[in-house]
């Protein structure tokens, strides 16, 4: 995820800002066996991919916070309570 976030830093050159990266990578990063097995088509599949891309875009925009060592230690310490 950090690599993709770094790629977004070069969006002025590549035009691959977080939204475009999320659209391209979301179906692979958040692959849904439910969609594949149920043979979703049309609107249902589009909505599922849209949700996936919004989630990936959020992660890319907040990668420093979500993957910081500080947050990891808070979660680890909180899990022991």
């Amino acid at each position: 995820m950090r690599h993709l976030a770094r790629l977004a830093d070069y969006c002025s050159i590549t035009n691959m800002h977080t939204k475009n990266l999320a659209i391209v990578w979301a179906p692979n990063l958040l692959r849904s066996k439910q969609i594949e097995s149920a043979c979703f088509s049309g609107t249902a599949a589009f909505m599922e991919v849209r949700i996936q891309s919004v989630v990936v875009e959020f992660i890319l925009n907040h990668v420093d916070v979500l993957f910081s060592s500080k947050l990891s230690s808070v979660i680890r310490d909180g899990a022991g309570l």
Side-chain angles (χ1 to χ4, degrees), residues 3-77:
H3 177 70
L4 292 177
R6 267 191 308 250
L7 286 175
D9 291 339
Y10 297 95
C11 66
S12 62
I13 299 166
T14 65
N15 199 34
M16 290 301 286
H17 45 80
T18 56
K19 186 171 188 153
N20 285 346
L21 289 167
I23 290 168
V24 171
W25 284 97
N28 291 309
L29 294 172
L30 301 177
R31 175 168 268 153
S32 171
K33 290 187 180 205
Q34 183 180 16
I35 290 176
E36 292 173 3
S37 65
C39 299
F40 276 108
S41 62
T43 305
F46 175 77
M47 290 305 295
E48 186 70 21
V49 170
R50 176 72 181 123
I51 291 167
Q52 291 171 341
S53 68
V54 168
V55 170
V56 171
E57 184 179 1
F58 177 84
I59 293 169
L60 290 175
N61 285 326
H62 299 91
V63 74
D64 292 335
V65 174
L66 294 171
F67 296 102
S68 73
S69 58
K70 229 182 201 182
L71 181 63
S72 296
S73 65
V74 168
I75 290 171
R76 188 176 45 249
D77 294 343

